[in-house]
Amino acid sequence: MLTPVAGPGGSAAPDAAPSAPATTGSAPATTTGTATPSPDASGPATPGPGPSDPERTAPTAPAPVTAADLLAKVSGCTPVSRGRYRKDRGTAATVPVCGTRDAVYWKADMDIDCDGRPGAHCNTGTDPNFSSSTAFTQSDGRALSSEKLPYVVVPAPSGIWDYREHGVRGGSVAAVVYRDRVSYAVVGDVGPTDIIGEASYAAATSLGIDPDPRSGGAPSGVTYIVFKDSRVTPLEDREAAESQGERLAREFVDSAD
């Protein structure tokens, strides 16, 4: 970082002979057509699925949410931003932030945010714009690791849009969609007031996007969905982001909104 004997209803042959003598007081009957069991039938009943049958009691796990599921849910746009954002400096402002009752989302490119704790791939030598800090931090107060944690970047509050007014904060859960892949992440950093479309080295890797901070990223086709009033604690817990993300994505896709 950014989803397998014939039963009691069969027909008995009319000339079939019993294989053993009848037990006294229990005369076997031979019938033609469909046999209807009598209430006092002494033969063993074919067992059906009971309360302890695994096929009946085991819960069915819901299918993972797919990229197609999420993209269908955000095919339209009700803008919640007062204006639009640029994808990169010097380009036209074309990207609105859209919203529903449960989430905010935007469709943009992906620039690579390599900020935070330095590592083998994110440092001053690999990224000319490297910063050792992130707007939001781990539970121990240290900056996030772009190489290890999938996170997305939101624009700094401005007259265009203030993410805080829509239930978004550091640690909010996000689903990032690219082509046929879905990755779950957290809100981990804040970017310029007029540019949108950025995520961490780990988020790019999880989506099959080149994570190189100089030459990587995706020029378009990335959808960012942030679930309102959600939060991963501690913020750096990647597994919690994935489990919460899958649950929130399922609720989002299944909701009537």
Side-chain angles (χ1 to χ4, degrees):
M1 7 198 117
L2 170 258
T3 122
V5 181
S11 298
D15 56 350
S19 58
T23 303
T24 304
S26 177
T30 302
T31 61
T32 60
T34 303
T36 304
S38 61
D40 59 347
S42 58
T46 302
S52 61
D53 191 330
E55 293 183 0
R56 189 169 184 175
T57 58
T60 302
V65 175
T66 66
D69 292 334
L70 287 167
L71 292 177
K73 192 69 177 181
V74 298
S75 59
C77 177
T78 300
V80 295
S81 58
R82 301 176 185 87
R84 300 188 175 212
Y85 288 94
R86 307 174 193 277
K87 293 181 182 178
D88 296 293
R89 197 166 302 283
T91 62
T94 59
V95 181
V97 177
C98 312
T100 69
R101 179 186 60 192
D102 301 315
V104 293
Y105 58 92
W106 55 93
K107 303 173 184 181
D109 61 343
M110 180 182 284
D111 296 323
I112 307 302
D113 183 333
C114 231
D115 295 341
R117 298 207 318 276
H121 304 287
C122 292
N123 53 64
T124 55
T126 61
D127 183 1
N129 300 312
F130 177 79
S131 170
S132 60
S133 64
T134 50
F136 306 107
T137 59
Q138 294 188 160
S139 55
D140 60 5
R142 294 189 297 166
L144 304 179
S145 170
S146 177
E147 293 182 16
K148 297 179 179 179
L149 181 67
Y151 67 74
V152 301
V153 181
V154 292
S158 70
I160 301 175
W161 182 58
D162 186 340
Y163 63 86
R164 299 170 299 185
E165 296 176 355
H166 296 268
V168 176
R169 53 188 169 175
S172 288
V173 182
V176 190
V177 183
Y178 181 65
R179 295 179 178 171
D180 61 349
R181 294 193 184 189
V182 180
S183 177
Y184 296 107
V186 294
V187 172
D189 207 356
V190 170
T193 57
D194 61 340
I195 296 176
I196 203 167
E198 191 174 5
S200 69
Y201 185 102
T205 301
S206 68
L207 291 166
I209 295 173
D210 181 356
D212 189 285
R214 291 178 182 266
S215 59
S220 63
V222 183
T223 300
Y224 304 80
I225 304 168
V226 182
F227 301 108
K228 296 179 179 179
D229 300 316
S230 62
R231 191 173 194 179
V232 172
T233 304
L235 192 151
E236 67 272 19
D237 191 335
R238 182 169 180 170
E239 290 185 0
E242 291 173 354
S243 61
Q244 285 195 47
E246 180 66 37
R247 175 179 60 81
L248 292 168
R250 171 54 60 192
E251 292 174 0
F252 180 62
V253 166
D254 292 344
S255 67
D257 190 358

